[in-house]
Amino acid sequence: MNYKKILLKGSFFLSMADLSTKVIGFLLLPLFTFYLSPEDFGIISITFLIVSILNLFYNPGIISAIQRLYHANDNLIYRQELIGSAYVFFISTPLIVLLTALLFGDFIFLQIFKNFKFFPYGLIAIFLSFVTQPKRLWINLLTLTYEVKKIAIYTTISVFLGLLVSYILVVFFQMGAMGRVIGAFPGAILLFIISSKEVIKYSKLKWSF
C-alpha cells in the first residue's frame, strides 16, 4: 500500500473541502450581518459555544484512544468491538445529558447565564451536540481505513446544506438567530444518519464495557 500517495490524496481532498466551505461562509457573512442584529450574533455564539463545550465533555480522550488501539490488534472482531463500544458511548452519554437537561435544564441555565434561557436555544444546543457525536467517530474510522475522500465529500455537502438552509431561513423567512441555529441541523442530521449507518455496518454493533 502506497501510504505516501494516500496521505497526499487525503490531505488534498480535506484541504479543498475545508477551503471551499470557508470561502462560502465568508461570502455569506455580509448577508448574515445585514439581516442579523448584534443580539442575534450573541445568541448564535453562545449556542455554538455550548455545543463546543459539550463536545469536549463527550470526548474524554476516546478519539485519541481509538487511534492508538485500532492498530494495536489487527483482529477484525477486536476492531469491531472497539468501534462499536465507542459508538455506544457517543450515543448514550449525550442522550443521558439531554434527558437530564429536560428535567433540570432551566435550573442549571439560571445558575450559569443571566440573559440566556434554557428554552429554546439551550435545548437546541444540547440536542445539536447529541446528533453531531457519531460523525466524530465516523471521521475517525474512515481515517483509520484510509477513506478520507468520503469524509471530504460528505462534510462539504453537509456544510453547504447548512449554509443554504440558514440563508433561506434568515433572509427569506426573517427568522433571525433561530434561522441560523436551525440551519445547523440539516447537515448535522445528514451526517448523523450516514455516520451511524456506516459505523453500525462496520462494527455489527459489537461492544463491551
Side-chain angles (χ1 to χ4, degrees):
M1 185 178 292
N2 191 336
Y3 292 104
K4 183 182 292 186
K5 183 178 179 181
I6 292 173
L7 174 63
L8 292 174
K9 188 176 180 181
S11 299
F12 172 77
F13 281 114
L14 287 178
S15 297
M16 292 305 296
D18 186 56
L19 178 63
S20 61
T21 53
K22 280 184 168 57
V23 168
I24 295 298
F26 178 75
L27 293 176
L28 287 176
L29 186 60
L31 287 172
F32 286 137
T33 54
F34 181 80
Y35 287 96
L36 297 173
S37 67
E39 182 182 357
D40 289 331
F41 274 105
I43 292 172
I44 294 167
S45 297
I46 295 175
T47 302
F48 288 118
L49 177 62
I50 293 171
V51 175
S52 298
I53 292 173
L54 288 173
N55 284 342
L56 293 174
F57 172 73
Y58 294 152
N59 178 31
I62 298 294
I63 296 297
S64 299
I66 291 171
Q67 292 173 344
R68 166 65 182 85
L69 295 173
Y70 183 87
H71 291 294
N73 192 325
D74 59 2
N75 182 274
L76 178 59
I77 294 177
Y78 164 85
R79 290 179 172 181
Q80 288 175 326
E81 191 172 274
L82 178 67
I83 299 299
S85 299
Y87 179 75
V88 170
F89 178 86
F90 279 125
I91 288 293
S92 60
T93 304
L95 186 59
I96 292 171
V97 172
L98 178 60
L99 294 175
T100 303
L102 290 174
L103 296 174
F104 307 107
D106 280 323
F107 173 77
I108 294 172
F109 271 66
L110 284 174
Q111 310 308 309
I112 301 174
F113 301 102
K114 278 190 175 181
N115 300 311
F116 190 84
K117 296 182 180 180
F118 170 69
F119 187 84
Y121 292 102
L123 178 59
I124 290 173
I126 293 172
F127 185 71
L128 181 60
S129 68
F130 167 72
V131 298
T132 56
Q133 294 314 304
K135 177 196 73 173
R136 306 168 78 189
L137 176 61
W138 171 70
I139 289 174
N140 198 27
L141 175 62
L142 292 186
T143 303
L144 291 168
T145 55
Y146 311 111
E147 298 180 76
V148 180
K149 182 178 178 180
K150 189 182 291 186
I151 300 173
I153 293 172
Y154 282 118
T155 301
T156 303
I157 291 173
S158 71
V159 172
F160 276 115
L161 180 62
L163 290 173
L164 177 62
V165 173
S166 295
Y167 173 77
I168 292 172
L169 294 179
V170 170
V171 176
F172 293 100
F173 290 90
Q174 299 182 355
M175 293 180 63
M178 180 61 74
R180 181 68 185 93
V181 171
I182 291 177
F185 276 93
I189 292 174
L190 172 66
L191 289 183
F192 177 86
I193 295 170
I194 292 171
S195 58
S196 293
K197 180 181 177 181
E198 294 207 4
V199 168
I200 291 173
K201 180 180 178 181
Y202 176 86
S203 67
K204 310 289 191 219
L205 270 187
K206 294 183 173 70
W207 69 284
S208 76
F209 286 104

